[in-house]
């Protein structure tokens, strides 16, 4: 799966606290994917996506999806 090959760097030290799954999700969010699309890609429910996003917001100390994306400085794909 492509999600397994995505790496995310964020503009804050809090990003170091993201789990691998949360980092993958942050990458999909930064790429503009919607919750249902992320759920489908990651084989999880929309509810699970929402829970992951809430944890990401807490760890990045943001309140909105756009703020989380602004904290993500680079999404790169390794071959």
């Amino acid at each position: 799966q492509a999600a397994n090959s995505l790496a995310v760097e964020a503009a804050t030290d809090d990003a170091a606290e993201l789990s691998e799954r949360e980092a993958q999700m942050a990458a999909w969010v930064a790429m503009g994917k919607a919750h249902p699309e992320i759920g489908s890609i990651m084989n999880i429910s929309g509810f699970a996506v929402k829970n992951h996003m809430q944890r990401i917001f807490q760890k990045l100390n943001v309140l909105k999806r756009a703020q989380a994306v602004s904290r993500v400085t680079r999404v790169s794909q390794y071959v």
Side-chain angles (χ1 to χ4, degrees), residues 58-72:
Q58 288 173 345
K59 289 179 179 184
L60 296 179
N61 196 29
V62 298
L63 299 175
K64 298 180 181 181
R65 186 179 172 105
Q67 292 172 319
V69 170
S70 73
R71 295 274 180 124
V72 175

Side-chain angles (χ1 to χ4, degrees), residues 37 61 73:
E37 194 172 5
N61 196 29
T73 59

Side-chain angles (χ1 to χ4, degrees), residues 3-4 6-8 18-57 60 65 68-69 72 75:
N4 292 333
L6 292 175
V8 175
L18 294 181
S19 70
E20 182 177 343
R21 193 92 162 144
E22 290 165 344
Q24 289 174 345
M25 188 164 297
W28 291 119
V29 168
M31 293 170 60
K33 304 292 186 192
H35 283 130
E37 194 172 5
I38 294 170
S40 178
I41 291 167
M42 299 182 80
N43 289 325
I44 59 176
S45 71
F47 182 74
V49 172
K50 184 177 176 179
N51 285 338
H52 280 292
M53 291 304 300
Q54 288 174 343
R55 283 192 297 275
I56 291 168
F57 290 176
L60 296 179
R65 186 179 172 105
V69 170
V72 175
V75 177

